[in-house]
Amino acid sequence: MTALLDVQQLSKSYRKQTGLFRYRTVQALHDISFTLQSGKTLAIVGETGSGKSTLARLLVGIEKPDAGDILLAGNTVTTSHYRQYNHTIRFIFQDAAKSLNPNQKIGQMLDDVLRLNTVFDATQRAQKVRLTLKQLGLLNEHIDYYPHMFSGGQLQRVALARALILDPKLLILDEALTALDPSLRAQIVNLLLELQQQSGLAYLLISNHLRLVRHIADDVLVLYQGKMLDYAPASEVFSNPQHDYTRKLINSSQA
Amino acid sequence: MLLLDIKNLTIELSTANGLIRAVDRVNLSLREGETRGLVGESGSGKSLIAKAIVGVLNKRWRVTADRFNWAGKDILNLPYEQQRKIIGRDIAMIYQEPSRSLDPTAVILEQLEEAIPAHVLDGPWWKRSYLRRHKAIALLHKVGIRDHQSVLQSYPYQLSEGICQKIMIAMAVAKSPKLLIADEPTTALESTTQAQLFRLLSSINQLKGTSVLLISHELESIARYTQTLSVLYCGQLVEAGETAAILKQPFHPYTNALIKSVPEFQPDLVPKTPLYALPGSIPVLQHLPIGCRLGPRCPNARKECVKTPAIERLQNHYFSCHFPLTGKTV
Ligand SMILES: Nc1ncnc2c1ncn2[C@@H]1O[C@H](COP(=O)(O)OP(=O)(O)OP(=O)(O)O)[C@@H](O)[C@H]1O
Ligand SMILES: Nc1ncnc2c1ncn2[C@@H]1O[C@H](COP(=O)(O)OP(=O)(O)O)[C@@H](O)[C@H]1O
Ligand code: SF4
Ligand SMILES: [Mg+2]
Ligand SMILES: [Mg+2]
């Protein structure tokens, strides 16, 4: 069976200013390979600056890799195909709130997503918007809310709604669960698990919340300074980490 | 001595459809050197309370209270300028959104140096700029940024969210405040840095006697680093008291649900099974349920709950529920 997502030897570097005229190259990602099957969850963990968000940006095609391939259901993906696989891969970034248009009501924003990406008519769209809001524990009243009227955690849910409304095959969550309060997080985790069981949705979960990772991930990949360390089934990584860094990471979350 | 003592804090927003009450008669106090946790569902008003204390809410919000004492002094009735002066000097806040609080057009060095007030530099004036630079670097080291050279020369957008958050903390502790309000300071950070920052906050608390109001979703850290806890639901205080006592035996069904929803507190949890969660979601402020605000979601709700429960007290433990989970011992 071809994997839903197959990433082969991905590398990416940035030029970074270190002085007035001095630059230094930062190798944000180095030779990263992994696969993700439908209905599974892969967690990417690693410290700040280890390249997690960079990886997410490459996967959704916002940036181009220096080297390596991204295969989606067996087909190579390039940045120019971005619109085409916009449906299949949806993502929620760390700074989800910033990516919302402050002058647009939430209902309108969700309607636009459907209008641009589906053939639904107005009634179908309205229905889907209501259903999605409900799934995410938001209310009908929120249709008329502007982004600034939500609290931080509520905004994260709005971002999730925007991602899930197109029924994607792969959802990339860049620290999208961390900012949620525990009771809300539990609801969303349950929703994600349910969707996964029902429709085989796959998740790429970028998170430092190791207890949560342990609960929902099938596989775990540890990034350190852009390089892969442990990459194995979650139970193995947690019970028998191969690298000192991974051990330290796990201990620090349990200490 | 009570450092901060607020009674019946109410925060309202005037809209086209009248006043909306986002925070309803909340009591909050902190002793000198105390670390208090503030938890509650998203949208329950935690950030609003924090912002009201530091006075950064914009004019559309109306903040009222029956009492607002700072270090034993009533500051509610002081002229605005004097309020600002006291709060600006004594209270520092770390905001939830680091990238929004840093100036995108200035390098970190400038912003950090600006945050260091003259009175914390001891040395002759002609050494000030040297000392200030020194202090800026020391602050970065303190929050765990080793690579100070390149960070100081960077603009916020060039740095990851996590590093920005650490810089925010460095800026907040720069003025040696009496009260540090941290609004979800570690949300964007990985667990190693998270632990490091909680330890940092706790060492600032212990070494300098700084009081800390910690708003966080990480109940585990709340358990470890706070002595007292206030739990909010939908703009109201539902439970308050000693952190350890509340976590051991919550009285309020919302607090109970909060604790049970955290995998860290559920050692026997099987991977990929549903977590404990209350059904439904927090109501919007325009359409609050009659009586207890948790009513529609509460597993223990009975018909008495259409009457708003009053705050009750059992020793140092406050709660507002007609049917506390301990049984009706009151
Ligand atoms: N646009 C950019 N210009 C320069 N450097 C960048 C840029 N984007 C990322 N980097 C650098 O690439 C590295 C990886 O960044 P990335 O944001 O992916 O880290 P991260 O692991 O997700 O961190 P965090 O968890 O804090 O978000 C960092 O050293 C970062 O400073
Ligand atoms: N500008 C605004 N207009 C209308 N409602 C707002 C606004 N800002 C916040 N709110 C509402 O106030 C409540 C509390 O928000 P906040 O303090 O940010 O919550 P949190 O506890 O997550 O920090 C929420 O119900 C939110 O929707
Ligand atoms: S007063 Fe009633 S509805 Fe409210 S929390 Fe208590 S039992 Fe539940
Ligand atoms: Mg990131
Ligand atoms: Mg908040």
Side-chain angles (χ1 to χ4, degrees):
Chain A
M1 196 179 97
T2 43
L4 174 65
L5 179 68
D6 187 356
V7 168
Q8 297 170 352
Q9 296 168 327
L10 219 52
S11 293
K12 174 82 187 168
S13 57
Y14 293 105
R15 254 158 65 88
K16 196 163 175 176
Q17 196 159 9
T18 52
L20 201 44
F21 299 105
R22 294 216 322 270
Y23 288 87
R24 190 181 60 177
T25 306
V26 183
Q27 188 78 34
L29 283 179
H30 183 74
D31 200 9
I32 304 297
S33 306
F34 61 85
T35 58
L36 177 56
Q37 306 285 352
S38 288
K40 296 287 177 196
T41 302
L42 169 66
I44 312 271
V45 301
E47 64 185 44
T48 305
S50 60
K52 306 182 300 294
S53 303
T54 305
L55 179 60
R57 285 196 297 271
L58 295 180
L59 289 177
V60 300
I62 293 174
E63 283 175 14
K64 276 204 331 228
D66 300 340
D69 290 306
I70 301 169
L71 278 80
L72 200 59
N75 303 313
T76 308
V77 165
T78 61
T79 345
S80 56
H81 291 155
Y82 176 52
R83 279 215 67 82
Q84 184 192 325
Y85 73 102
N86 197 359
H87 281 255
T88 325
I89 303 189
R90 300 287 287 172
F91 55 88
I92 307 171
F93 280 138
Q94 216 164 356
D95 44 4
K98 269 190 288 178
S99 61
L100 297 171
N101 177 351
N103 301 314
Q104 199 180 32
K105 290 181 180 170
I106 296 310
Q108 189 59 50
M109 180 273 290
L110 291 173
D111 188 70
D112 277 359
V113 173
L114 288 174
R115 204 163 40 77
L116 295 172
N117 293 292
T118 68
V119 294
F120 289 177
D121 64 30
T123 343
Q124 287 171 316
R125 292 202 303 269
Q127 206 174 3
K128 183 75 183 169
V129 168
R130 275 202 303 276
L131 181 72
T132 311
L133 287 178
K134 183 151 173 267
Q135 273 186 324
L136 289 154
L138 292 163
L139 303 167
N140 272 335
E141 284 96 331
H142 288 133
I143 286 179
D144 291 322
Y145 271 46
Y146 289 98
H148 74 269
M149 294 163 74
F150 288 98
S151 71
Q154 289 171 322
L155 272 178
Q156 255 334 310
R157 276 197 277 184
V158 171
L160 260 162
R162 183 170 60 173
L164 286 175
I165 201 164
L166 288 180
D167 299 318
K169 294 217 164 34
L170 168 63
L171 183 62
I172 300 178
L173 300 135
D174 188 355
E175 293 290 4
L177 301 175
T178 327
L180 298 173
D181 68 79
S183 46
L184 208 74
R185 190 192 289 151
Q187 275 185 338
I188 304 272
V189 164
N190 293 349
L191 172 70
L192 293 176
L193 290 171
E194 200 183 304
L195 285 174
Q196 184 160 61
Q197 260 162 22
Q198 281 168 7
S199 60
L201 188 56
Y203 303 114
L204 190 81
L205 175 71
I206 298 179
S207 178
N208 288 310
H209 197 302
L210 290 193
R211 186 60 189 86
L212 203 62
V213 163
R214 189 177 200 154
H215 188 62
I216 56 188
D218 297 286
D219 296 320
V220 173
L221 190 159
V222 182
L223 272 185
Y224 178 65
Q225 297 184 351
K227 295 190 191 68
M228 280 169 76
L229 298 182
D230 288 64
Y231 171 42
S235 54
E236 241 171 78
V237 171
F238 282 102
S239 62
N240 187 19
Q242 296 302 304
H243 292 84
D244 282 343
Y245 174 75
T246 312
R247 228 162 281 142
K248 209 180 102 201
L249 203 66
I250 291 170
N251 288 337
S252 76
S253 76
Q254 286 168 346
Chain B
M1 188 181 72
L2 283 181
L3 185 63
L4 180 70
D5 181 14
I6 306 178
K7 187 154 185 238
N8 289 339
L9 176 68
T10 296
I11 307 177
E12 293 161 312
L13 179 70
S14 52
T15 68
N17 305 321
L19 272 189
I20 290 178
R21 188 176 279 199
V23 171
D24 185 32
R25 290 166 296 145
V26 167
N27 298 339
L28 187 73
S29 67
L30 268 121
R31 278 173 283 114
E32 249 167 59
E34 176 177 329
T35 301
R36 178 180 284 276
L38 183 59
V39 300
E41 188 122 346
S42 265
S44 60
K46 305 178 298 294
S47 303
L48 284 176
I49 291 176
K51 287 177 185 167
I53 294 173
V54 287
V56 293
L57 285 174
N58 69 29
K59 287 277 177 290
R60 292 175 53 226
W61 292 96
R62 219 184 72 183
V63 180
T64 53
D66 291 345
R67 182 166 69 223
F68 199 127
N69 288 358
W70 176 254
K73 226 165 104 186
D74 172 16
I75 61 168
L76 191 62
N77 298 313
L78 282 185
Y80 180 74
E81 303 302 315
Q82 275 182 47
Q83 271 182 15
R84 300 300 326 137
K85 211 175 133 200
I86 292 173
I87 287 167
R89 188 193 58 212
D90 290 346
I91 307 182
M93 174 145 167
I94 304 163
Y95 292 90
Q96 194 170 358
E97 317 90 358
S99 38
R100 269 189 248 169
S101 336
L102 291 171
D103 178 356
T105 63
V107 296
I108 300 302
L109 176 67
E110 255 174 70
Q111 305 192 43
L112 192 51
E113 287 196 346
E114 214 166 84
I116 304 171
H119 71 83
V120 303
L121 303 169
D122 31 87
W125 60 267
W126 42 268
K127 267 185 141 178
R128 283 278 156 85
S129 80
Y130 165 81
L131 286 170
R132 186 162 268 147
R133 175 74 47 103
H134 215 73
K135 174 92 182 167
I137 293 171
L139 281 167
L140 285 186
H141 288 175
K142 205 169 175 182
V143 295
I145 296 175
R146 281 143 294 174
D147 185 15
H148 63 258
Q149 264 321 344
S150 82
V151 167
L152 284 174
Q153 300 306 329
S154 299
Y155 290 90
Y157 72 88
Q158 292 172 319
L159 301 167
S160 71
E161 198 90 347
I163 293 178
C164 288
Q165 191 64 292
K166 291 186 189 173
I167 292 165
M168 286 289 307
I169 296 176
M171 285 165 65
V173 299
K175 63 177 179 183
S176 306
K178 289 208 175 68
L179 171 63
L180 187 61
I181 301 180
D183 190 358
E184 291 175 41
T186 62
T187 311
L189 307 177
E190 79 280 6
S191 48
T192 37
T193 323
Q194 252 176 35
Q196 195 186 350
L197 281 171
F198 278 122
R199 277 200 298 274
L200 173 70
L201 287 177
S202 128
S203 81
I204 293 167
N205 168 251
Q206 269 156 19
L207 295 177
K208 304 215 162 165
T210 311
S211 304
V212 179
L213 182 64
L214 179 62
I215 302 176
S216 174
H217 294 320
E218 302 307 323
L219 274 198
E220 237 197 336
S221 309
I222 292 275
R224 187 169 332 164
Y225 295 107
T226 69
Q227 291 121 34
T228 53
L229 181 62
S230 298
V231 185
L232 288 180
Y233 182 76
C234 201
Q236 294 177 329
L237 194 67
V238 296
E239 189 155 5
E242 311 262 323
T243 306
I246 291 179
L247 293 180
K248 189 155 161 254
Q249 177 56 67
F251 285 7
H252 197 280
Y254 174 71
T255 317
N256 183 52
L258 192 66
I259 296 168
K260 274 168 85 178
S261 70
V262 176
E264 278 86 344
F265 292 161
Q266 308 300 323
D268 304 323
L269 190 66
V270 179
K272 295 214 148 190
T273 53
L275 302 173
Y276 183 86
L278 288 180
S281 50
I282 194 167
V284 291
L285 298 169
Q286 292 87 333
H287 296 129
L288 291 174
I290 298 168
C292 176
R293 293 185 176 181
L294 190 65
R297 306 178 63 192
C298 180
N300 307 349
R302 288 183 239 169
K303 67 175 189 297
E304 288 87 338
C305 302
V306 297
K307 250 183 60 206
T308 306
I311 290 260
E312 295 182 57
R313 175 177 180 174
L314 191 64
Q315 286 153 349
N316 282 331
H317 199 143
Y318 297 81
F319 59 94
S320 64
C321 173
H322 294 305
F323 305 105
L325 296 167
T326 45
K328 198 73 179 169
T329 52
V330 198

